[in-house]
């Protein structure tokens, strides 16, 4: 039961894994491994409070189980209990001081608590134990970057050699003014993987600022590929449809300001749950509308010469989630590096108050590389609006001050 549940968790088959754990626990209710696995299952389902209680149960059964303390630290972070998270990570380290993962996890909680020097100390310890520990190197590199220590950041990112670290190394080189090296690396990275969306996104920005082409062929100017439509072209009673959709969404579990996501002062649905796997009537109808609009989108841009269109996903696999922003809510500048095309459907909007409040802003500038000359477009949405754009295009929500809720469904068209 222990081994089978671990295997099922690794395959993300969490419901079956839960059944297996519960069967095993009927035989041995106080088996710490089965209780730990069950906690991991609920953590994977974003039921952090339930996971937290199970980890505490494991610690009661076996106070020397360092992994239970570590995982309780993870759950505490998700429950926005930073002091508890730090205390639990430190307990895990005390029990097992030779696991670099515990130091790395502790550093994340320390960063979130503003204890940057202590975070860096723990990252140094993790990297000393495992010099090629990419998670720790990426975290330390970002700390160096935020402090303006771009050469040190570049050194850490270059040791990782993954999709994200390649893009971050370009950010460092841009901050250092190393233009020749940027062109050289864009050429290298584009040859290695033309579909690295983070590199493609920076390359579009850099090409516009320098007014010079580079090796990026994914989508040279994603702003040219914006597409606008409205639910009213598919449904005569648009207001009833959007209200019914909102009612369906509010029955689906959500998280306030999920860690690691762009949503601030708002709720976002569980990212493990795909809205378009739902059997609810209106979500199924919305999925069919999106698929129809994707066909129209491809037809409109099919003559464009770029990888974004040439390798257009043949299978229309879409993953959706919802976001409900409240007063002072916004979404930070971000892209969707796991997508191909991204979209947003507006179910409820907020008044602009002639200050673009609640508007969506598209830009070639990112959070960590920007230029006042970079192109941008601000669009004030209406209820029912449908907007599609390449997943490489940076976008954000402009904060709003009214007490209205801004409700959207977002989705990614997933690459093949």
């Amino acid at each position: 039961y222990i081994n089978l549940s671990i295997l099922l968790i690794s395959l993300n088959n969490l419901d079956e894994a839960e059944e297996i754990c519960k069967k095993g626990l009927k035989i041995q209710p106080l088996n710490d491994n089965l209780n730990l696995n069950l906690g991991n299952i609920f953590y994977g389902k974003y039921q952090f409070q339930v996971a937290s209680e199970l980890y505490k149960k494991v610690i009661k059964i076996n106070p020397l189980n360092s992994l239970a303390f570590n995982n309780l630290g993870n759950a505490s972070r998700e429950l926005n209990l930073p002091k508890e998270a730090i205390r639990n990570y430190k307990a895990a380290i005390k029990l097992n001081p030779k696991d670099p993962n515990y130091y790395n996890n502790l550093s994340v909680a320390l960063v979130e608590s503003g204890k940057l020097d202590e975070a860096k100390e723990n990252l140094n310890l993790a990297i000393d134990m495992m010099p090629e520990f990419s998670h720790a190197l990426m975290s330390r590199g970002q700390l160096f970057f935020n402090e303006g220590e771009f050469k040190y950041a570049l050194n850490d990112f270059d040791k990782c050699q993954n999709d994200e670290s390649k893009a971050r190394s370009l950010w460092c080189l841009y901050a250092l003014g190393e233009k020749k090296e940027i062109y050289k690396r864009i050429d290298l990275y584009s040859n290695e993987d033309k579909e690295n969306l983070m590199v493609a996104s920076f390359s579009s920005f850099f090409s516009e600022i320098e007014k010079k082409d580079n090796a990026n062929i994914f989508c040279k100017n994603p702003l040219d590929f914006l597409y606008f439509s409205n639910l009213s072209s598919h449904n005569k009673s648009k207001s009833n449809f959007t209200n019914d959709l909102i009612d369906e969404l509010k029955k689906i579990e959500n998280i306030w300001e999920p860690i690691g996501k762009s949503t601030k002062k708002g709720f976002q649905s569980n990212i493990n749950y795909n809205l378009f796997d739902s059997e609810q009537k209106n979500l199924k109808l919305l999925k069919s509308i999106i698929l129809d609009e994707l066909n129209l989108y491809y037809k409109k841009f099919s003559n464009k010469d770029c990888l974004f269109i040439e390798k257009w996903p043949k299978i229309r696999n879409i993953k959706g989630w919802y976001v409900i922003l409240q007063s002072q809510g916004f979404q930070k500048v971000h892209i969707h590096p796991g997508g191909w095309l991204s979209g947003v459907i507006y179910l409820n909007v907020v008044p602009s108050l002639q200050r673009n409040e609640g508007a969506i802003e598209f830009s070639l500038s990112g959070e960590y590389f920007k230029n006042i000359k970079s192109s941008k477009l601000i669009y004030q949405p209406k209820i029912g609006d449908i907007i599609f754009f390449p997943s490489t295009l940076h976008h954000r929500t402009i904060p709003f001050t009214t007490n209205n809720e801004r409700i959207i469904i977002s989705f990614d068209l997933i690459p093949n």
Side-chain angles (χ1 to χ4, degrees):
Y1 290 103
I2 293 166
N3 292 338
L4 180 54
S5 63
I6 290 170
L7 176 60
L8 290 167
I9 291 168
S10 74
L11 295 169
N12 205 33
N13 193 343
L14 300 181
D15 290 336
E16 192 177 349
E18 183 182 344
E19 287 179 25
I20 294 298
C21 277
K22 287 178 176 176
K23 284 180 181 178
L25 286 167
K26 284 181 181 177
I27 301 166
Q28 286 187 9
L30 298 181
N31 184 293
D32 59 340
N33 287 311
L34 281 168
N35 279 290
L36 182 70
N37 290 354
L38 190 58
N40 294 341
I41 289 161
F42 282 107
Y43 184 91
K45 290 182 173 184
Y46 289 76
Q47 296 181 39
F48 302 119
Q49 189 60 54
V50 179
S52 179
E53 294 307 318
L54 282 159
Y55 295 141
K56 288 174 183 176
K57 182 179 179 181
V58 174
I59 290 165
K60 240 179 198 178
I61 297 166
N62 180 5
L64 301 179
N65 192 320
S66 65
L67 190 55
F69 278 104
N70 175 74
N71 293 7
L72 181 56
N74 293 339
S76 300
R77 275 188 61 235
E78 297 289 355
L79 292 167
N80 200 24
L81 300 168
K83 289 181 180 177
E84 283 190 29
I86 290 168
R87 184 169 65 250
N88 286 306
Y89 289 135
K90 287 183 175 179
I93 289 168
K94 189 173 181 180
L95 289 168
N96 183 3
K98 294 186 178 179
D99 191 326
N101 291 288
Y102 297 170
Y103 295 93
N104 181 62
N105 292 344
L106 174 57
S107 75
V108 176
L110 289 167
V111 168
E112 290 168 356
S113 299
K115 299 177 179 180
L116 305 185
D117 290 338
E118 192 179 346
K120 199 180 290 181
E121 287 171 12
N122 281 276
L123 287 169
N124 291 340
L125 289 167
I127 294 164
D128 286 344
M129 291 178 196
M130 192 191 300
E132 295 180 357
F133 189 3
S134 61
H135 286 294
L137 287 164
M138 291 287 284
S139 295
R140 190 174 70 176
Q142 193 60 48
L143 283 177
F144 280 133
F145 186 95
N146 294 344
E147 292 169 351
E149 298 284 358
F150 302 119
K151 288 184 179 179
Y152 290 116
L154 180 62
N155 185 51
D156 277 351
F157 294 146
D158 279 347
K159 288 177 182 175
C160 298
Q161 288 303 301
N162 56 48
D163 284 357
E164 189 172 348
S165 69
K166 290 172 183 176
R168 292 192 189 195
S169 71
L170 292 171
W171 307 348
C172 294
L173 291 166
Y174 181 71
L176 291 165
E178 299 284 353
K179 294 180 184 179
K180 286 184 181 178
E181 182 64 16
I182 290 174
Y183 281 111
K184 181 181 171 183
R185 291 203 185 198
I186 290 175
D187 190 53
L188 173 65
Y189 297 157
S190 297
N191 283 329
E192 290 175 349
D193 180 8
K194 295 178 175 62
E195 297 173 27
N196 183 332
L197 267 61
M198 292 186 72
V199 168
S201 179
F202 174 84
S203 301
S204 295
F205 162 82
F206 190 65
S207 177
E208 184 193 45
I209 296 305
E210 292 300 308
K211 296 182 170 52
K212 182 181 175 183
D213 214 355
N214 56 51
N216 167 42
I217 60 168
F218 181 79
C219 182
K220 291 182 184 296
N221 188 2
L223 280 165
D224 291 342
F225 289 81
L226 280 166
Y227 173 90
F228 300 89
S229 183
N230 193 282
L231 291 173
S232 58
S233 60
H234 299 268
N235 195 310
K236 290 180 182 177
S237 55
K238 179 181 71 175
S239 61
N240 290 338
F241 181 48
T242 54
N243 288 334
D244 290 343
L245 272 169
I246 290 170
D247 288 340
E248 288 183 359
L249 294 182
K250 290 195 172 179
K251 295 173 186 173
I252 296 169
E253 184 182 357
N254 58 42
I255 304 165
W256 176 260
E257 293 188 347
I259 289 174
K261 298 299 171 185
S262 61
T263 300
K264 302 299 173 188
K265 302 289 183 185
F267 297 94
Q268 185 168 324
S269 58
N270 184 332
I271 60 167
N272 239 21
Y273 180 77
N274 182 0
L275 294 183
F276 299 117
D277 286 341
S278 171
E279 290 300 315
Q280 295 188 73
K281 180 180 73 173
N282 294 291
L283 282 167
K284 287 178 76 174
L285 177 56
L286 180 63
K287 181 179 180 180
S288 69
I289 290 171
I290 290 171
L291 294 176
D292 288 344
E293 290 285 352
L294 284 172
N295 290 333
L296 294 171
Y297 182 95
Y298 180 71
K299 186 176 180 181
K300 178 176 180 177
F301 295 106
S302 59
N303 63 340
K304 298 293 184 181
D305 181 21
C306 64
L307 205 67
F308 173 61
I309 296 300
E310 288 171 13
K311 287 202 171 185
W312 184 255
K314 292 182 175 64
I315 299 168
R316 302 293 194 267
N317 179 19
I318 59 174
K319 181 174 182 181
W321 61 95
Y322 71 81
V323 176
I324 301 176
L325 294 179
Q326 298 188 338
S327 182
Q328 306 299 328
F330 64 98
Q331 287 188 296
K332 296 194 304 180
V333 175
H334 65 288
I335 63 169
H336 298 187
W340 194 264
L341 170 138
S342 299
V344 57
I345 297 94
Y346 290 86
L347 305 183
N348 200 47
V349 297
V350 298
S352 70
L353 303 182
Q354 299 183 329
R355 295 194 296 263
N356 290 321
E357 290 196 6
I360 185 168
E361 179 184 283
F362 298 99
S363 174
L364 297 187
S365 286
E367 184 177 3
Y368 298 108
F369 55 90
K370 55 191 74 172
N371 191 296
I372 57 171
K373 296 178 183 177
S374 179
S375 296
K376 68 178 179 181
L377 181 146
I378 295 174
Y379 179 78
Q380 192 69 48
K382 304 178 290 296
I383 290 178
D385 273 351
I386 301 169
I387 308 176
F388 292 170
F389 50 94
S391 295
T392 54
L393 184 58
H394 280 91
H395 53 288
R396 72 180 183 106
T397 305
I398 296 173
F400 59 93
T401 55
T402 54
N403 289 323
N404 307 57
E405 287 186 327
R406 182 184 185 273
I407 305 176
I408 64 163
I409 289 177
S410 290
F411 78 91
D412 285 334
L413 172 62
I414 306 299
N416 286 335

